Amino acid sequence: RKEVEQDPGPFNVPEGATVAFNCTYSNSASQSFFWYRQDCRKEPKLLMSVYSSGNEDGRFTAQLNRASQYISLLIRDSKLSDSATYLCVVSGNAGNMLTFGGGTRLMVKP
Amino acid sequence: DARVTQTPRHKVTEMGQEVTMRCQPILGHNTVFWYRQTMMQGLELLAYFRNRAPLDDSGMPKDRFSAEMPDATLATLKIQPSEPRDSAVYFCASGLVYGLFGANVLTFGAGSRLTVL
């Protein structure tokens, strides 16, 4: 079993739709959680950190459920420019290493 | 904006040749990571340095891969000899980490796309 698992998708949604991704992690000792975004043939970039109380950044909402060991990302009013791969990232294992999920691909269509 | 610089951006080589990839982390960052990305495996951690000291390279095939950080402005990843299965995009990332469980926000370089024929 992978340490961080995501549904690879693709999720095909129309503009304006609300879409949600989930991610599960296996190490209960994990301390820090993030969502990164990766555009095609580009490097991953930090989208947002995920806090225990949940947090929002514009159209994006991230939530953490430590008891069930999953993280979610909600995108409201999706735009064409949201098309990308979204990577769930977990840290807090030995030495602060980041472990990446395989990514969920989102395609927003007109 | 401060950025992580990787060279070369693209490399095509023949099996058995030595490949060296270089990374200049962001000035002031104390942590450097090397990741490899393929379609099948996603992003895999190869090596990890903190304050230039190697902390973990368990993800790296030791017989052919080596990672070093000769100074604070340069990290290198070497493959010798290279094999077709090494074809991938290699990303370097740097960050500023505090304590054992500090926040780990990384900035990635643009990657080195390696093709081994």
Side-chain angles (χ1 to χ4, degrees):
Chain A
R1 184 187 171 194
K2 288 189 175 182
E3 285 189 58
V4 181
E5 295 208 62
Q6 296 182 248
D7 181 343
F11 284 57
N12 294 295
V13 303
E15 267 186 295
T18 295
V19 61
F21 309 135
N22 288 331
C23 159
T24 57
Y25 60 96
S26 60
N27 189 338
S28 59
S30 299
Q31 296 288 325
S32 304
F33 309 90
F34 309 89
W35 284 100
Y36 275 68
R37 170 193 168 129
Q38 187 173 22
D39 292 296
C40 187
R41 300 180 79 83
K42 298 285 189 181
E43 71 273 23
K45 292 183 179 178
L46 178 68
L47 177 66
M48 60 195 301
S49 301
V50 185
Y51 303 121
S52 296
S53 55
N55 50 297
E56 191 172 303
D57 182 1
R59 298 181 293 108
F60 298 82
T61 301
Q63 292 197 312
L64 169 64
N65 184 319
R66 284 188 185 270
S68 301
Q69 294 180 205
Y70 81 76
I71 307 150
S72 65
L73 177 68
L74 182 78
I75 306 175
R76 290 182 299 277
D77 187 24
S78 49
K79 313 289 185 191
L80 295 177
S81 57
D82 294 333
S83 298
T85 296
Y86 290 84
L87 300 161
C88 175
V89 187
V90 172
S91 180
N93 303 330
N96 266 338
M97 294 182 293
L98 291 190
T99 301
F100 283 77
T104 298
R105 189 171 171 209
L106 171 66
M107 298 179 68
V108 181
K109 300 193 181 293
Chain B
D1 283 345
R3 57 178 64 186
V4 175
T5 303
Q6 286 187 247
T7 57
R9 290 294 310 279
H10 302 274
K11 175 75 174 178
V12 180
T13 191
E14 293 187 346
M15 184 173 62
Q17 296 298 306
E18 178 179 302
V19 175
T20 299
M21 289 168 275
R22 294 177 173 79
C23 168
Q24 181 177 2
I26 291 174
L27 188 65
H29 280 186
N30 63 352
T31 313
V32 174
F33 297 78
W34 281 105
Y35 283 90
R36 173 172 65 183
Q37 188 173 40
T38 61
M39 289 291 291
M40 295 300 295
Q41 299 296 328
L43 271 165
E44 301 174 281
L45 179 67
L46 297 176
Y48 163 41
F49 293 81
R50 187 164 178 180
N51 297 321
R52 293 179 54 204
L55 282 198
D56 191 302
D57 60 2
S58 58
M60 203 164 66
K62 300 292 190 305
D63 57 337
R64 300 182 300 107
F65 285 60
S66 62
E68 295 180 346
M69 212 169 160
D71 62 61
T73 65
L74 177 64
T76 62
L77 180 67
K78 186 178 294 186
I79 308 173
Q80 168 62 27
S82 57
E83 298 181 0
R85 60 181 167 148
D86 301 330
S87 298
V89 180
Y90 291 81
F91 286 106
C92 174
S94 71
L96 190 56
V97 174
Y98 302 93
L100 184 60
F101 294 117
N104 239 331
V105 176
L106 296 189
T107 301
F108 280 77
S112 293
R113 184 174 294 274
L114 174 65
T115 302
V116 183
L117 303 174

